């Protein structure tokens, strides 16, 4: 199995990408095609004593910056690490693509270069979000700001397949993010989507879910448009960071707090681990014909390594093929 990795993507590239990739090669037995500035990658590897065993380098002379307009960058920067990597994936020279680079460029590139599964207009960005009972898959979390009911139904089908194949959960539950649990709540689009999801084959739809209940982790998949999903994701990250910071301040405030921390150290450590987004690696673009994984822009080595693990599981379980079969069934049911 060959995983294509963007060596230039993310705030900590290429060092963190190299470290995470080398760890993935050693732990997961994958081969990697690293795309980026070969000179810089080799120099970084030598300076930090990082082995390049199992990593084939493909040189690129351009790089897509976060400030670049995505569609223009994909069309004009043909020798960038993202464009070259996605083309290698399209040509079958690798089995999946991992990047911590520009989300917008990856979304456009996945649509224009890799293309989408039949029945999918645009890929949805999905991510596993830490929660109280269990992490849940949130989609779309930023790729498609406005969605039609049929798109949300497709997201539900793809999300169920992902949670089943990658997370190993049987009969995953699906909920629609809304401002109330009743069927009558929400905009006309959401009310129509609710009725469509009730009739969608192959998913276990449990109804609407209010934002205050999302962090409980009572469902496996939360479906919404990209604007709503991005707000849920960023608010969750902000609240988690705030609470962990307040806990730290409380424990360090006085001697009693420090003693309390020593007594609760294992529990606090478990909480920090549970809320660590790098444990899940990245966010797949569900609906692309081949696995495209977006690692967090601030990913360190652990995040990159786990994004590669995520890509490996997608390939091993033929995630895209399973999704296409489920989407074909959805299309047939909607035609009926």
């Amino acid at each position: 199995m060959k995983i294509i990795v963007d060596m230039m993507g993310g705030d900590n590239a290429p060092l963190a990408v190299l470290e995470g990739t080398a760890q993935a090669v050693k732990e997961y037995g994958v081969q990697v095609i690293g795309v980026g500035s070969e000179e810089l990658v080799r120099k970084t590897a030598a300076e930090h004593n990082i082995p390049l065993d199992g990593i084939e380098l493909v040189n690129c002379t351009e790089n897509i910056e976060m400030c670049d307009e995505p569609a223009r960058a994909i069309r004009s920067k043909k020798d960038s690490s993202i464009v070259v990597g996605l083309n290698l994936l399209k040509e079958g020279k690798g089995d999946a693509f991992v990047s911590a680079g520009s989300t917008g460029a990856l979304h456009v590139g996945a649509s224009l270069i890799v293309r989408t599964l039949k029945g999918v207009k645009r890929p949805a960005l999905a991510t596993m979000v830490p929660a109280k009972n269990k992490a849940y898959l949130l989609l779309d979390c930023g790729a498609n700001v406005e969605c039609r009911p049929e798109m949300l139904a497709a997201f539900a089908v793809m999300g169920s397949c992902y949670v089943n194949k990658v997370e190993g959960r049987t009969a995953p539950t699906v909920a629609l993010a809304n401002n109330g649990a009743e069927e009558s709540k929400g905009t006309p689009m959401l009310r129509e989507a609710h009725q469509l999801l009730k009739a969608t084959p192959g998913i276990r739809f449990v109804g609407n879910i209010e934002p205050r209940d999302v962090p409980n982790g009572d469902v496996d998949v939360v479906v919404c448009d990209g604007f709503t999903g991005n707000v849920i994701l960023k608010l969750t990250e902000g609240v988690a960071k705030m609470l962990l910071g307040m806990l730290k301040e409380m424990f360090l405030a006085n001697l009693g707090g420090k003693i309390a921390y020593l007594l609760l150290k294992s529990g606090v450590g478990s909480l920090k681990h549970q809320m660590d987004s790098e444990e899940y690696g990245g966010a797949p673009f569900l609906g692309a014909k081949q696995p495209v994984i977006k690692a967090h822009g601030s990913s360190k080595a652990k995040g990159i390594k786990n994004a590669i693990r995520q890509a490996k599981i997608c390939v091993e379980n033929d995630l895209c093929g399973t999704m296409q079969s489920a989407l074909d069934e959805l299309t047939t049911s909607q035609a009926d």
Side-chain angles (χ1 to χ4, degrees), residues 105-305:
L106 279 169
H107 187 229
V108 173
S111 301
L112 298 180
I113 299 173
V114 179
R115 301 292 184 178
T116 59
L117 298 171
K118 184 180 178 182
V120 175
K121 295 293 184 183
R122 293 186 298 272
L125 187 62
T127 188
M128 294 299 298
V129 182
K132 180 182 176 182
N133 296 324
K134 60 178 181 293
Y136 63 91
L137 184 71
L138 177 70
L139 76 161
D140 190 346
C141 59
N144 303 285
V145 175
E146 296 181 354
C147 296
R148 297 185 305 278
E150 307 82 56
M151 293 174 67
L152 296 181
F155 294 172
V157 170
M158 293 189 297
S160 293
C161 289
Y162 181 87
V163 170
N164 174 246
K165 292 293 184 179
V166 177
E167 296 296 319
R169 301 183 192 177
T170 57
T173 52
V174 178
L176 175 66
N178 206 335
N179 65 335
E182 302 86 356
E183 291 187 29
S184 59
K185 289 287 188 176
T187 62
M189 187 279 288
L190 286 172
R191 293 197 296 271
E192 185 180 342
H194 184 104
Q195 297 305 315
L196 185 57
L197 286 166
K198 282 173 63 177
T200 298
I203 68 168
R204 189 179 163 199
F205 182 57
V206 296
N208 292 336
I209 186 168
E210 296 187 62
R212 67 182 178 191
D213 296 321
V214 169
N216 289 333
D218 292 328
V219 298
D220 298 294
V221 180
V222 174
V223 172
C224 54
D225 61 75
F227 179 84
T228 302
N230 199 256
V231 170
I232 290 174
L233 180 63
K234 289 179 177 176
L235 181 62
T236 300
E237 289 176 341
V239 170
K241 185 176 181 180
M242 177 194 71
L243 290 176
L244 289 173
M246 290 173 67
L247 276 174
K248 183 177 180 181
E249 289 178 3
M250 183 176 66
F251 286 134
L252 295 177
N254 50 50
L255 180 60
K258 293 175 182 177
I259 293 173
Y261 173 74
L262 292 175
L263 295 173
L264 299 172
K265 187 176 180 179
S266 62
V268 174
S270 177
L271 177 63
K272 289 180 68 176
H273 177 81
Q274 184 180 351
M275 299 303 294
D276 186 1
S277 60
E278 290 212 342
E279 289 293 330
Y280 298 98
F285 281 97
L286 299 185
K289 276 189 175 179
Q290 294 159 282
V292 176
I293 309 294
K294 167 68 174 78
H296 203 291
S298 61
S299 290
K300 296 182 173 60
K302 181 171 70 171
I304 298 297
K305 182 190 76 170

